[in-house]
Amino acid sequence: MTIITEERRLAILIALLAASVFMTYYFNTVVMLGTVFSHFFYIPIILTALWWKKRSIPVALFLGGLVIASSFLYNRPDILTLNDYARVMTFVVIAFVVASLSEQLKGREREVVEQRDLVQRYLDVAGVLFVVINADHTIRLVNRHGCELLGYREEELIGKNWFEIVVPEASRKARQEIFDAAIAGGASLSGRRENPVVTRSGEELILAWQDTVLAGDGDRPAAMIGSGVDITDRIRAEEALREAHGEANLYLDIMAHDINNANAVALGYSDLLAGELEGERQREMVRKLRGSIDRSIDIIQNVSTIRRLRSAEPSTRPVDLDAVIRAEIAHHPDARIVYEGEPVRVTADDLLPEVFTNLIGNSIKFGEPGVEVRVRVEEGDGVVEVTVEDTGPGVPDAVKAGLFTRFRRGTSARSGKGLGLYITRMLVERYGGRIRVEDRIPGYPERGAAFRFTLPRCGRPWEPRPATARS
């Protein structure tokens, strides 16, 4: 749009006023048509009102005065009627009305410009790329961060084809088809997507992209508003982390495999050595050696369990709790274990046996000679509560709060490294339950501990499992 300068406007007004004076003279002395020429006066009045608002009123008074003065100057006062005075008043009214409307329009225009500038400032300070792409693929608007991210100046992007200048060639056609389908259907693509873009230097960046369709006249889709956050560094860091994680797991697998092989060999030799030795002292040393090997095996097992817990989301399914408990009891044929339960299904996974391995194993391992372990299962409202209690030395009150914390030891000289109970808590919470430790007899912590935890009961009806030998 061509902008008329102030000097040019003034020159046009002077020319129109001069033409008005000439027409006054010409129509009164040559054509002899009276005030017909005065219709021309509306042009300078309206233009002055549009350009300078209420400054048009003096112009209207000047031209009105010219109409009245022409009758006296050319000796025809007989034709000066009420209509002439009304015409003068019309000039003034039109000047005032047009000036008022022009002032209102200018005010609205200023508001629109201020809002536009404010929005532009918001877009410029935003830490994301923001772009408006027309239906013909050309760029209508791009913010400052977008220009900096892509390496272009704003004027180098406005009006250019977005897909040809920004989108990588490998994905250009597919992205154009998606864009055209969204514009044609008037429906934005839901969710965030990872879209690559190419900078001016040829570097490919990955943006977390979102867009929405912008409606034009008649609510017809006219453009697409898109925003993108540069996540290239995050994607690369995640890839590097996955590679490092895979490499670390490889090393752990190798170490676990080799250590377990070494432990198996050491156990075999310790059994042979125990058969060869005769003195009680020597046999006690072999038992301690075997105990150390067993602890090494437990550590490897705990590390493997934690890896499985951390590596993937739980895939729960109905699990026969009765079978899990009986299988664990069968591993301790010499222990005094009382089981009070009945067939019930819970929602868990293949790691559920680890819970009972740790709780029953700890009760036997750290209890006094002749310790008795009792396992009780009770069904509640949507949950199953399991209690594993023993008659061992118990857990002091000062230790209870942090007992399930990683590497928290008990107070007994025979206490372990604390990983077992930490894993137990992780597993129970993984299934949606809670675990706590209490006194077997309330108020007497030294007379045994009671570990209580809940598991979500499976909503499916009970189906008896095939009959098998139970321990």
Side-chain angles (χ1 to χ4, degrees):
M1 182 178 67
T2 304
I3 299 177
I4 303 177
T5 62
E6 194 75 9
E7 292 79 7
R8 186 168 295 179
R9 290 177 180 178
L10 186 59
I12 292 173
L13 177 60
I14 293 173
L16 290 173
L17 292 178
S20 299
V21 173
F22 172 77
M23 292 177 68
T24 301
Y25 167 77
Y26 182 77
F27 275 86
N28 278 281
T29 61
V30 179
V31 183
M32 303 295 290
L33 290 179
T35 58
V36 175
F37 65 90
S38 63
H39 294 294
F40 177 79
F41 293 177
Y42 291 113
I43 297 176
I45 292 173
I46 293 174
L47 287 178
T48 307
L50 291 174
W51 290 342
W52 293 294
K53 302 177 183 64
K54 293 182 179 179
R55 292 181 183 178
S56 61
I57 295 177
V59 174
L61 292 173
F62 168 76
L63 293 174
L66 191 62
V67 171
I68 296 174
S70 64
S71 298
F72 292 99
L73 290 174
Y74 296 105
N75 300 316
R76 286 198 307 275
D78 54 306
I79 64 174
L80 186 63
T81 64
L82 184 61
N83 184 56
D84 295 316
Y85 292 109
R87 190 181 300 276
V88 175
M89 290 301 299
T90 302
F91 289 167
V92 175
V93 170
I94 288 177
F96 181 79
V97 171
V98 175
S100 299
L101 293 175
S102 176
E103 193 167 336
Q104 292 180 20
L105 290 174
K106 291 290 184 182
R108 296 289 179 84
E109 184 179 349
R110 283 195 300 271
E111 290 179 4
V112 171
V113 171
E114 289 173 358
Q115 292 296 325
R116 183 197 64 191
D117 293 342
L118 182 61
V119 171
Q120 186 65 49
R121 286 197 293 271
Y122 286 157
L123 296 178
D124 286 340
V125 300
V128 300
L129 180 151
F130 186 91
V131 64
V132 178
I133 308 170
N134 293 320
D136 62 356
H137 303 167
T138 57
I139 302 171
R140 182 191 303 182
L141 180 147
V142 62
N143 68 338
R144 182 184 305 165
H145 183 79
C147 294
E148 294 172 352
L149 186 68
L150 297 174
Y152 293 94
R153 297 191 303 275
E154 184 178 0
E155 57 270 20
E156 293 177 317
L157 292 174
I158 300 297
K160 301 296 177 58
N161 189 300
W162 166 263
F163 297 96
E164 292 181 358
I165 197 171
V166 173
V167 179
E169 186 175 358
S171 59
R172 185 174 301 160
K173 183 177 179 181
R175 295 264 293 278
Q176 283 181 348
E177 291 176 352
I178 294 173
F179 177 89
D180 292 339
I183 290 291
S188 306
L189 298 176
S190 60
R192 303 182 75 180
R193 307 178 303 283
E194 293 181 3
N195 283 345
V197 296
V198 177
T199 67
R200 185 171 191 168
S201 62
E203 181 185 5
E204 186 168 305
L205 303 177
I206 300 175
L207 304 183
W209 189 262
Q210 283 184 302
D211 50 37
T212 186
V213 172
L214 178 66
D217 296 336
D219 292 332
R220 295 179 59 186
M224 185 81 76
I225 303 175
S227 64
V229 180
D230 184 9
I231 57 172
T232 308
D233 292 339
R234 192 196 77 188
I235 295 296
R236 291 172 180 170
E238 289 175 353
E239 291 176 354
L241 184 61
R242 281 193 294 269
E243 292 178 0
H245 182 71
E247 188 174 356
N249 280 335
L250 175 62
Y251 293 151
L252 285 174
D253 288 339
I254 294 173
M255 290 176 60
H257 180 268
D258 290 348
I259 292 174
N260 280 334
N261 286 342
N263 285 335
V265 173
L267 283 175
Y269 279 114
S270 65
D271 290 339
L272 291 175
L273 187 60
E276 295 292 331
L277 298 176
E278 297 180 356
E280 183 60 29
R281 182 183 177 189
Q282 287 84 356
R283 290 181 178 176
E284 178 63 21
M285 294 175 65
V286 172
R287 282 194 293 270
K288 290 182 178 180
L289 174 61
R290 187 181 180 89
S292 297
I293 298 172
D294 288 338
R295 284 194 293 273
S296 174
I297 293 173
D298 289 342
I299 292 172
I300 297 297
Q301 179 63 30
N302 286 336
V303 171
S304 298
T305 302
I306 292 175
R307 281 182 57 198
R308 291 181 63 184
L309 285 172
R310 299 290 191 186
S311 62
E313 292 294 324
S315 178
T316 57
R317 57 179 177 80
V319 176
D320 185 350
L321 180 63
D322 180 71
V324 171
I325 296 174
R326 291 183 182 277
E328 179 58 30
I329 293 175
H331 291 148
H332 306 281
D334 299 330
R336 295 173 57 194
I337 303 177
V338 178
Y339 173 43
E340 300 174 6
E342 58 184 20
V344 62
R345 287 182 183 272
V346 296
T347 302
D349 59 18
D350 293 337
L351 291 175
L352 180 60
E354 294 290 334
V355 173
F356 295 95
T357 298
N358 288 324
L359 295 180
I360 295 177
N362 281 354
S363 294
I364 296 172
K365 185 185 301 183
F366 303 128
E368 301 297 337
V371 65
E372 179 181 289
V373 180
R374 185 177 296 270
V375 182
R376 185 167 55 253
V377 176
E378 298 173 320
E379 296 188 53
D381 185 13
V383 298
V384 174
E385 183 172 83
V386 182
T387 301
V388 178
E389 60 184 27
D390 60 63
T391 58
V395 180
D397 292 337
V399 178
K400 286 186 175 72
L403 189 64
F404 299 100
T405 305
R406 186 178 179 184
F407 300 131
R408 180 62 182 261
R409 293 170 178 257
T411 57
S412 169
R414 301 174 62 189
S415 295
K417 299 296 183 181
L419 273 178
L421 293 179
Y422 171 71
I423 292 172
T424 299
R425 178 179 65 83
M426 288 180 63
L427 285 169
V428 170
E429 292 179 354
R430 176 187 177 94
Y431 306 140
R434 292 290 182 268
I435 188 170
R436 65 190 186 278
V437 60
E438 300 174 351
D439 299 330
R440 183 177 66 89
I441 300 176
Y444 296 90
E446 71 281 357
R447 298 180 65 177
F451 290 86
R452 308 186 198 279
F453 62 93
T454 58
L455 295 171
R457 186 172 59 184
C458 179
R460 299 183 185 178
W462 168 254
E463 298 177 2
R465 55 191 174 86
T468 56
R470 292 190 175 184
S471 302

